[in-house]
Amino acid sequence: MPPHTRVLIIGSGPAAHTAAIYLSRAELKPVLYEGMLANGIAAGGQLTTTTDVENYPGFAQGVGGTELMEAMRAQSARFGTEIRTETVARVDFSARPFRAWVEDEEENAAITADAVIIATGASARRLDLRGEDKYWQNGISACAVCDGAVPIFRQKPLVVIGGGDSAAEEAMFLTKYGKSVTVLVRKDHLRASKTMAKRLLANPKVDVRFNTVATEVVGEDGPRGLMTGLKVKDVRSDGDGKEEVLQANGLFYAVGHDPATKMFRGIVDMDEDGYILTKPGTSYTNVEGVFAAGDVQDKRYRQAITSAGMESLFPPSNMYIHLTNKTGSGCIAALEAEKFLAEQDDIEDVPDGIRDNDDSNTKQAEKATQNGDTAAAAPEYRRNPILAETSKGSKV
């Protein structure tokens, strides 16, 4: 028989492991498929591509991104999450139990689940410049908010590539730490909103270079050599096409992110960029019993470690808040999945004759709510003796 689980979690980042911790502590025995280099990234997600995380509470000396994810994984396993390294390649959410298949599995070898949490994340777009792989995280980053305060960038000349709102925001953020910030824009204008563009161009520490592209990252030799410069050229037809080298100790990409949602297309609702649409303030997708958490549903900021769900409460000002948002999103998905499963169990336990009276029960619950009787209004309150007693007039 193919394996069955109450909750299947697809993903391996902070959102996935936070959901796993909550669900395993609730005795729901979740199964988490972290993937084998899924989307070209090691298990643990985007944090495994970063260096030090310096402002996450509890780590006075900072913590490596990979080390932090290893700790989250260990915590998930400690509470009973079954973690599998295979990569989920295909799903079927047309009926419950939901089905999923790992890579190269036969049709009859589907994993089945009563609920699914999608936490597959998003990856920052790269430009494939010469020297990019060598100096990635040794001067090159796709997240200014995450890495901008790292010592190697302080009081150094920095470069941002991009012309939209994200590029403008990141460039202005970097002025807090860098000596200067140069913004490279391929076109002859900014795509950013008028307000953001005006603010960027007025900043004395920012130099915007239009019609300019990067061609190569240069720097120190050796396995841990740092970036020291960036070759750029003018792309205008009347330009001479010659390259020049800008002194730069940091290069930040602000050219967007790609959500890892390809296998869910046509199955759950998405926006035009492939981000999963959820009911505002929740992790609910359009498929009942399927939830989304983390960067896979985060379009507003599109940072490597941001998450929807709490973004309206916390602006993206530092790594702690980004991680708080992401873990908060995983927590929300877990609690909502747990509630969903509890409601399904309640329905299955109700005899057929009583189940026919659902409309009458709904009306009674609505009336109870209007009268302030919360215990009668919600089944989960009736199961909670403290809330039940409170609803009868006793003081807590």
Side-chain angles (χ1 to χ4, degrees):
M1 289 286 292
H4 178 79
T5 179
R6 297 302 309 278
V7 187
L8 169 65
I9 302 171
I10 308 174
S12 64
H17 282 294
T18 301
I21 291 166
Y22 272 79
L23 290 167
S24 55
R25 282 172 56 84
E27 308 266 335
L28 287 174
K29 297 178 173 61
V31 175
L32 184 151
Y33 278 80
E34 63 182 3
M36 174 66 76
L37 288 177
N39 304 302
I41 299 174
Q46 287 287 294
L47 271 181
T48 62
T49 69
T50 66
T51 50
D52 290 338
V53 180
E54 294 187 327
N55 52 0
Y56 191 75
F59 299 93
Q61 304 304 318
V63 59
T66 298
E67 181 184 353
L68 181 58
M69 288 315 307
E70 288 175 349
M72 290 188 186
R73 189 182 190 277
Q75 191 172 1
S76 295
R78 174 195 169 200
F79 289 113
T81 300
E82 183 178 345
I83 301 175
R84 299 180 181 177
T85 305
E86 296 99 325
T87 301
V88 172
R90 184 162 59 96
V91 297
D92 180 358
F93 297 158
S94 59
R96 287 196 299 271
F98 303 119
R99 298 189 297 165
W101 292 264
V102 299
E103 290 178 338
D104 303 322
E105 283 294 337
E106 299 295 332
E107 181 68 24
N108 61 356
I111 309 147
T112 58
D114 298 321
V116 175
I117 294 177
I118 302 170
T120 46
S123 57
R125 294 173 188 162
R126 294 196 181 189
L127 297 177
D128 297 323
L129 301 177
R130 296 193 300 272
E132 181 179 282
D133 290 339
K134 181 177 181 179
Y135 295 107
W136 189 262
Q137 290 304 323
N138 287 322
I140 307 177
S141 169
C143 181
V145 173
C146 312
D147 301 328
V150 173
I152 63 171
F153 299 130
R154 288 182 178 270
Q155 293 305 307
K156 300 292 178 60
L158 308 175
V159 175
V160 173
I161 297 179
D165 281 340
S166 294
E169 290 173 358
E170 296 211 353
M172 288 187 289
F173 175 82
L174 289 170
T175 60
K176 300 176 182 179
Y177 306 103
K179 179 181 179 181
S180 64
V181 179
T182 300
V183 180
L184 303 184
V185 184
R186 173 183 287 273
K187 298 182 179 181
D188 61 359
H189 64 278
L190 291 165
R191 292 183 293 103
S193 64
K194 290 183 178 180
T195 301
M196 289 299 299
K198 183 178 180 180
R199 194 177 301 166
L200 179 70
L201 294 170
N203 194 307
K205 293 184 71 175
V206 175
D207 175 28
V208 180
R209 297 187 56 165
F210 296 102
N211 304 298
T212 305
V213 297
T215 59
E216 183 179 1
V217 184
V218 296
E220 301 168 347
D221 292 328
R224 297 295 296 173
L226 298 176
M227 169 187 175
T228 59
L230 181 68
K231 290 184 178 180
V232 302
K233 71 176 182 179
D234 192 313
V235 296
R236 287 175 293 190
S237 58
D238 58 350
D240 56 19
K242 289 184 178 180
E243 293 183 332
E244 64 173 302
V245 179
L246 299 180
Q247 182 183 356
N249 296 94
L251 173 61
F252 296 85
Y253 291 168
V255 292
H257 290 73
D258 294 314
T261 56
K262 184 177 180 179
M263 68 174 161
F264 306 110
R265 290 175 186 168
I267 299 174
V268 296
D269 287 347
M270 302 179 188
D271 67 11
E272 65 276 8
D273 294 318
Y275 287 87
I276 294 176
L277 296 174
T278 55
K279 182 179 178 181
T282 77
S283 62
Y284 294 112
T285 69
N286 64 302
V287 179
E288 187 179 25
V290 177
F291 308 86
D295 290 348
V296 78
Q297 63 158 355
D298 175 10
K299 182 181 180 182
R300 181 175 178 182
Y301 298 125
R302 291 182 294 182
Q303 302 287 332
I305 54 171
T306 55
S307 159
M310 293 187 179
E311 63 187 18
S312 61
L313 298 178
F314 300 110
S317 59
N318 59 44
M319 174 72 80
Y320 163 62
I321 288 177
H322 287 320
L323 283 170
T324 301
N325 287 348
K326 173 165 282 190
T327 53
S329 178
C331 169
I332 290 170
L335 294 176
E336 289 174 343
E338 182 183 356
K339 181 176 182 293
F340 168 77
L341 292 173
E343 290 172 347
Q344 295 302 306
D345 291 343
D346 285 346
I347 291 173
E348 292 174 1
D349 291 341
V350 174
D352 291 339
I354 297 177
R355 194 175 300 171
D356 294 337
N357 295 324
D358 279 349
D359 290 341
S360 175
N361 292 338
T362 300
K363 291 179 180 178
Q364 291 177 12
E366 291 175 350
K367 184 177 181 180
T369 300
Q370 294 173 357
N371 294 334
D373 187 355
T374 55
E380 59 265 37
Y381 287 169
R382 290 200 298 270
R383 290 195 295 269
N384 188 319
I386 297 177
L387 293 175
E389 287 300 318
T390 302
S391 68
K392 293 177 183 178
S394 61
K395 297 182 179 180
V396 178

